[in-house]
Amino acid sequence: MRRILHIDMDAFFTSVEQKRHPELIGKPVVVGGSGDPFKRGVVSTASYEARKFGIHSAIPLRTAYKLCPHAIFLPVDYEEYSRVSEKIKGILREFTQIIEDVGIDEAFLDVSLIDRPPEEIAEEIKKRITGETGLTSSIGIAPNKLLAKLASDMQKPDGLTIIKEDEIESRIWHLPVRKLWGVGPKTEAHLKGMGIKTIGELASLPLDRLTEEFGESYGNYLYNASRGIDESPLVTHWEPKSMSRETTFQKDTDDWQVTAKSIAELTKDIVGSMRHSDYKGRTVTVKIRFSDFETHTRAKTLSEPTDSLEVIRKAAFECLKRLELKKKVRLTGIRVSGLERS
Ligand code: TTP
Ligand code: MG
């Protein structure tokens, strides 16, 4: 039987902020956008104190302000969070190389081949992370990724939760379907229409009903997932196909200079990331979204992959020139695809 750990940091962005500004500990803190709740932007995350007011990831900053005007609003500082994230992933890699890096604050570890009780490994990981970053994490232990991810979420913050194979029904069947990996708001609504709210109710549906409603592949997935079955291996090596950046203006603009400047800034940012992770790319795509949300893209493919700022910026500007800026611009974006290792 496999032994999989899922590690997920608690209120990651806000915890990093509280660590470097200890006066914020115990207070409602919201990280998002430029940190100004009167400007456009969404909440990246909220401290547990702020969550009591109903604030959570992805809601507009303005809404968060209405829910809790005395919360402390801070801008997103990706550089700092990435630095801390790298440190945490470094600690995890000391335990095993069989690690799937899922996001900035989470990872799966396969510890099946380590001759120690997984709880002991998890305890040690938690201690190491706290010792070296001052942050708390929650860890789930289970026979597969699906259950390990459910488990890490069960006793946040600072939790350690084990789900054994014979506990699946008692531990997960009462949970809402949305907690299952791969079930988003659309599937949740679809299932609700069928009278299904919990994972247990989902498990009561026959397979042919599920494939009828959701198609062969996803229907099968839901059938197995509701039973806690997941054979998927850890994806230990992952190559990005593209890198992208976009930005929404504080105020829609009809000034070509402003649009061009933002494309130049995004290009610089993306080339920095490409060089940092040793990638060259071949195709540059520029995206423009107008104030009425009409969106256009233009792409240029180069004769060979590059990480030259000059070449990529020139391609981006060629794309921009092929776009007719007939309305006010709300958002600009850039993507470099066809990535390969330098
Ligand atoms: P999560 O692990 O989903 O959230 P969290 O760590 O803040 O809180 P929890 O204790 O419940 O795990 O996401 C990790 C970070 O990713 C989060 O701190 C901010 C960022 N994030 C966004 O920027 N936008 C989002 O919509 C979500 C969900 C997360
Ligand atoms: Mg987290």
Side-chain angles (χ1 to χ4, degrees):
M1 198 179 61
R2 294 194 297 158
R3 285 193 297 263
I4 309 295
L5 265 53
H6 180 251
I7 294 99
D8 190 296
M9 300 303 294
D10 303 320
F12 186 51
F13 291 5
T14 46
S15 301
V16 173
E17 296 295 350
Q18 285 170 323
K19 173 67 190 157
R20 61 176 171 177
H21 306 292
E23 68 277 13
L24 300 180
I25 292 169
K27 297 202 173 128
V29 179
V30 176
V31 172
S34 60
D36 182 340
F38 302 109
K39 289 189 175 163
R40 269 185 189 160
V42 292
V43 173
S44 291
T45 198
S47 68
Y48 282 73
E49 295 80 6
R51 291 182 198 191
K52 288 183 195 142
F53 295 87
I55 301 175
H56 58 83
S57 300
I59 65 169
L61 285 171
R62 285 178 223 261
T63 311
Y65 181 80
K66 280 183 201 140
L67 289 167
C68 181
H70 68 279
I72 294 122
F73 289 84
L74 297 171
V76 179
D77 182 354
Y78 271 111
E79 225 165 283
E80 176 68 5
Y81 313 145
S82 303
R83 201 185 58 76
V84 179
S85 176
E86 281 302 313
K87 205 166 179 183
I88 294 162
K89 305 282 162 70
I91 296 170
L92 298 180
R93 272 187 212 101
E94 285 181 38
F95 287 81
T96 175
Q97 291 300 311
I98 313 176
I99 168 169
E100 177 173 344
D101 199 338
V102 222
I104 194 160
D105 86 326
E106 56 179 314
F108 290 105
L109 256 60
D110 187 333
V111 297
S112 310
L113 298 175
I114 303 177
D115 199 16
R116 282 172 69 191
E119 305 89 298
E120 201 181 289
I121 302 172
E123 286 286 6
E124 196 181 318
I125 289 174
K126 281 164 68 71
K127 270 203 203 106
R128 286 279 312 274
I129 292 177
T130 305
E132 287 169 45
T133 67
L135 307 177
T136 63
S137 58
S138 294
I139 300 187
I141 305 173
N144 61 47
K145 285 175 16 179
L146 179 87
L147 292 170
K149 187 158 170 92
L150 278 172
S152 70
D153 193 43
M154 282 179 176
Q155 299 183 68
K156 270 184 166 290
D158 205 13
L160 175 53
T161 309
I162 307 168
I163 299 182
K164 301 217 166 82
E165 213 151 43
D166 56 2
E167 298 176 330
I168 293 171
E169 299 179 14
S170 62
R171 299 295 291 278
I172 78 164
W173 277 10
H174 66 279
L175 296 171
V177 287
R178 188 63 199 277
K179 292 267 175 186
L180 277 182
W181 203 8
V183 174
K186 258 172 100 178
T187 307
E188 182 186 34
H190 189 146
L191 286 167
K192 202 174 160 205
M194 297 165 64
I196 304 295
K197 289 205 189 86
T198 66
I199 298 175
E201 287 163 358
L202 181 62
S204 74
L205 293 176
L207 177 61
D208 53 3
R209 177 81 202 280
L210 283 168
T211 52
E212 218 170 87
E213 296 276 347
F214 298 98
E216 195 65 29
S217 143
Y218 192 45
N220 264 296
Y221 172 78
L222 290 175
Y223 183 84
N224 286 323
S226 66
R227 288 164 177 71
I229 300 169
D230 168 31
E231 304 286 341
S232 64
L234 270 65
V235 181
T236 52
H237 187 71
W238 177 80
E239 296 275 356
K241 294 192 179 76
S242 68
M243 289 191 182
S244 60
R245 292 283 188 284
E246 56 181 51
T247 187
T248 305
F249 293 120
Q250 288 306 332
K251 252 183 80 203
D252 298 344
T253 182
D254 52 10
D255 184 343
W256 190 85
Q257 295 289 348
V258 173
T259 302
K261 187 163 165 261
S262 94
I263 294 281
E265 276 165 8
L266 294 172
T267 306
K268 193 165 163 233
D269 197 24
I270 216 165
V271 169
S273 295
M274 287 169 65
R275 286 189 184 160
H276 182 75
S277 42
D278 274 335
Y279 281 107
K280 289 184 173 180
R282 267 193 77 187
T283 302
V284 179
T285 307
V286 166
K287 172 162 96 178
I288 295 285
R289 177 168 293 149
F290 295 112
S291 48
D292 58 0
F293 279 81
E294 191 184 315
T295 306
H296 293 270
T297 59
R298 290 289 180 277
K300 180 174 169 74
T301 296
L302 304 160
S303 54
E304 54 184 56
T306 181
D307 63 357
S308 151
L309 176 60
E310 216 181 299
V311 174
I312 293 174
R313 188 167 46 203
K314 195 165 156 258
F317 272 87
E318 280 179 41
C319 294
L320 179 62
K321 277 187 198 131
R322 282 161 46 210
L323 285 158
E324 194 195 343
L325 303 185
K326 52 189 177 198
K327 288 180 269 192
K328 283 197 173 180
V329 176
R330 173 188 168 84
L331 169 149
T332 59
I334 177 160
R335 183 172 70 234
V336 179
S337 51
L339 294 180
E340 49 188 70
R341 289 266 170 202
S342 299

